[in-house]
């Protein structure tokens, strides 16, 4: 701790360092010192925890901050370095941003429009600050952006059903998981012919990669900081807009607040320049993705990690409701 402070906040002495409980991939701490309060991040998620990747994220946030976006770039040391390696782990120190998280139920339609416009601005500004990079030869990575093979999903469902059935003692979550797995197998069998084709090469753009309520801090009604840029990368931009809305606007019953989704999506399209056809295609591809996705159950049954269990009831119900209300959801994003 003192080593970090000497490098990034000379003259500061630590007062307290409190772990933050939110977040699934990395570790964060509220670090209070004699010279202010900071957010200390320990990068431990293997795909994004190397120094080069973190430094690229940091440069992006510095440039976005210069363009006026609400981000909190890390503090540099006297040599301009923002990543410290201690004990084999990478750390970064950020300003502490006072604010709170807001989900879709706490956003008005006006707030939903501001949210959509903000994500559209993020995408257009990332295009400016990241340019056409970065593939293995210094060019934009072309994809491919394929779609899940239902035969692979059927095999996964069978594996997860076996693991859920073998749990002892069983609990209500296991009963729900079995019911949803069987239900999903029926849905997938009925809709397998709707598997989307791979997105065209070059369809991707730079995205935040993990835009959801826990990565956006509000001060009052206005966004104060977009945080956690670990998943910064090249993906189809409109698909990030759809995925974000699913998390912001899903209700506990699995329904989406479609009036707010419509306000959000229209503002996103205006800010990003995305067309209605692009959003409609993104809705279809993300619907198919969700129909084939079981990441929460994989964490629980394959990794013995139950931290995401609380998200499963609404997320699994959403897939069923969305399949039934497919046209209404598509029209909310693209109408």
């Amino acid at each position: 701790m003192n080593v970090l402070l000497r490098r990034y906040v000379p003259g500061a002495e630590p007062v307290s360092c409190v772990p933050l409980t939110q977040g699934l991939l990395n570790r964060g701490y509220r670090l209070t010192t004699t010279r202010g309060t900071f957010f200390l991040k320990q990068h431990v998620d293997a795909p994004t925890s190397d120094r080069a990747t973190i430094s690229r994220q940091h440069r992006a946030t510095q440039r976005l901050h210069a363009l006026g976006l609400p981000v909190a770039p890390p503090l540099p040391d006297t040599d301009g370095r923002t990543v410290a390696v201690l004990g084999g782990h990478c750390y970064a120190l950020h300003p502490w941003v006072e604010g709170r998280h807001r989900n879709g139920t706490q956003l008005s339609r006006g707030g939903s429009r501001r949210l959509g416009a903000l994500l559209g601005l993020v995408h257009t500004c990332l295009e400016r600050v990241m340019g056409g990079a970065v593939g293995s030869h210094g060019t934009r990575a072309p994809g491919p952006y394929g779609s899940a093979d239902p035969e692979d999903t059927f095999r996964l469902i069978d594996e997860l059903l076996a693991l859920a059935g073998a749990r002892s003692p069983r609990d209500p979550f296991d009963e729900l998981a079995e019911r949803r797995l069987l239900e999903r197998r029926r849905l997938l069998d009925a809709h397998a012919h709707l598997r989307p084709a791979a997105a065209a090469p070059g369809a991707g753009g730079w995205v935040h990669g993990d835009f959801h309520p826990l990565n956006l801090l509000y001060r009052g009604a206005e966004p104060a900081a977009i945080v956690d840029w670990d998943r910064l990368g090249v993906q189809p931009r409109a698909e990030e807009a759809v995925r974000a809305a699913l998390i912001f606007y899903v209700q506990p019953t699995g329904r989406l607040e479609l009036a707010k989704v419509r306000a959000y999506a229209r503002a996103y399209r205006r800010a990003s320049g995305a067309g209605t056809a692009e959003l409609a295609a993104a809705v279809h591809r993300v619907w198919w993705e969700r129909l084939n996705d079981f990441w929460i159950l994989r964490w629980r049954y394959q990794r013995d990690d139950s931290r995401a269990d609380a998200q499963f009831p609404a997320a699994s119900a959403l897939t069923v409701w969305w399949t039934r209300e497919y046209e209404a959801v598509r029209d909310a994003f693209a109408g």
Side-chain angles (χ1 to χ4, degrees), residues 19-28 39 101 213-215 217 228 307:
L20 303 177
T21 57
Q22 293 175 323
L24 296 175
L25 300 178
N26 295 295
R27 297 174 187 150
F39 172 65
H101 306 292
L214 291 182
N215 285 339
L217 287 165
D228 285 350
R307 288 178 298 162

Side-chain angles (χ1 to χ4, degrees), residues 30-39 93-98:
R30 179 173 178 149
L31 175 60
T32 302
T33 77
T34 54
R35 297 194 61 183
T37 301
F38 304 91
F39 172 65
L93 199 62
H94 299 256
W96 181 263
V97 179
E98 289 293 345

Side-chain angles (χ1 to χ4, degrees), residues 175-194:
E175 301 292 338
L176 175 63
E178 284 191 342
R179 179 163 63 85
R180 290 302 193 192
L181 284 163
L182 293 170
E183 179 180 55
R184 192 75 64 84
R185 186 160 62 188
R186 292 191 296 271
L187 282 175
L188 191 58
D189 187 55
H191 295 88
H193 63 290
L194 297 177

Side-chain angles (χ1 to χ4, degrees), residues 102-184:
R102 297 166 65 95
N103 59 38
T105 62
Q106 299 166 309
L107 297 176
S108 64
R109 290 194 192 182
S112 297
R113 285 191 291 271
R114 287 192 291 273
L115 178 65
L118 176 62
L119 183 56
L121 184 61
V122 167
H123 288 170
T124 57
C125 288
L126 278 172
E127 189 70 15
R128 291 174 59 185
V129 303
M130 302 301 289
V134 173
S136 60
H137 302 289
T139 59
R140 180 190 297 282
Y145 308 106
S147 59
D149 185 335
E151 293 304 321
D152 293 337
T153 306
F154 287 134
R155 286 191 288 271
L156 175 61
I157 289 173
D158 288 342
E159 179 183 346
L160 292 172
L161 280 169
L163 291 171
R167 294 274 290 193
S168 180
R170 290 168 58 80
D171 61 26
F173 186 102
D174 300 313
E175 301 292 338
L176 175 63
E178 284 191 342
R179 179 163 63 85
R180 290 302 193 192
L181 284 163
L182 293 170
E183 179 180 55
R184 192 75 64 84

